[in-house]
Amino acid sequence: MGETNGMPVEMTKSSEGKSRSGMESVISGVLGVYGVYLAYILVKGLIANEIGIRFEFADDASAAIDVGGSAVALSGPADVTVSTVLLAPETMVLLIISKLTVIIGLIGAAIICFPILRDIAHGTPFTSRALKALSVLALSVAILVIIYAIAATLGSNLASRDLGISDSVSGGLGVTQVFLFLGIAGGIALLQRSFASGRKAQEELEGLV
């Protein structure tokens, strides 16, 4: 039996395998845990008859809220927690849908990314399983982003109507959200192309051997 620094080779390989397995579990688990946390925040707020809404306040028509007897101006993107009693039923439905898409997206991404990370950890990243998982991830993200964009835009617009601040809020997604979605889509597309090229090179190398 060979030894490495006084440790059997089998024990060294076993410990490396466990650390690798633990690493992909931690990385993919972070997304899932954050999705569960957002679900907890949503349920907790609904029980308290509250829901968080992201408004994009127009720079040329800032809204003002009363804090401690003094007016505070709001400009640009701002997360506001409002009472669900003030919102119409259709507004609540759209807002909940927009939040559920984020929660489902995070938990789904954690599940889909696990086999990809596992293959990378074991030194075989360019597998057909990883390519299929990336394709599923890209399709899922595209569908969820479309649903989120529609639900969040309509929901925030209806919420601004219900709260009487339509003149102070600009419609549509914020600049930060748009660039975030573009970054995620671009990153997934880049990964797909890289893995496809790596898979092709690997197959050519195996053919030469």
Side-chain angles (χ1 to χ4, degrees):
M1 182 186 299
E3 294 187 359
T4 303
N5 294 330
M7 294 181 62
V9 176
E10 288 80 359
M11 291 181 63
T12 304
K13 291 181 178 179
S14 177
S15 61
E16 288 179 353
K18 289 180 180 179
S19 64
R20 288 173 178 175
S21 178
M23 185 58 67
E24 64 254 23
S25 299
V26 170
I27 295 175
S28 60
V30 168
L31 294 174
V33 170
Y34 186 55
V36 173
Y37 170 74
L38 291 181
Y40 165 74
I41 294 297
L42 175 61
V43 173
K44 179 182 178 182
L46 292 177
I47 293 175
N49 293 326
E50 294 179 342
I51 191 168
I53 309 173
R54 172 171 285 263
F55 288 118
E56 187 77 18
F57 290 96
D59 294 333
D60 56 349
S62 300
I65 59 175
D66 182 69
V67 179
S70 60
V72 177
L74 294 176
S75 179
D79 293 317
V80 180
T81 300
V82 300
S83 173
T84 57
V85 179
L86 303 175
L87 304 176
E90 61 271 19
T91 305
M92 286 296 302
V93 170
L94 289 169
L95 291 175
I96 292 175
I97 290 175
S98 67
K99 293 181 180 298
L100 287 178
T101 53
V102 176
I103 295 170
I104 294 173
L106 288 170
I107 297 176
I111 297 173
I112 295 172
C113 288
F114 181 78
I116 302 175
L117 295 172
R118 181 174 55 189
D119 289 341
I120 293 175
H122 286 81
T124 56
F126 308 121
T127 61
S128 58
R129 177 175 55 186
L131 288 173
K132 290 179 181 178
L134 279 174
S135 298
V136 173
L137 180 62
L139 180 61
S140 301
V141 169
I143 294 174
L144 290 175
V145 165
I146 293 174
I147 295 175
Y148 174 82
I150 295 174
T153 300
L154 294 177
S156 62
N157 287 340
L158 289 176
S160 64
R161 177 206 65 185
D162 297 338
L163 298 175
I165 57 174
S166 300
D167 295 336
S168 302
V169 177
S170 58
L173 297 177
V175 176
T176 303
Q177 290 176 309
V178 171
F179 277 100
L180 176 62
F181 293 147
L182 290 176
I184 293 174
I188 294 175
L190 180 61
L191 282 175
Q192 279 186 294
R193 179 170 296 184
S194 300
F195 272 66
S197 300
R199 178 66 176 174
K200 183 178 180 181
Q202 181 176 320
E203 290 176 348
E204 291 176 353
L205 183 60
E206 291 175 351
L208 293 175
V209 176

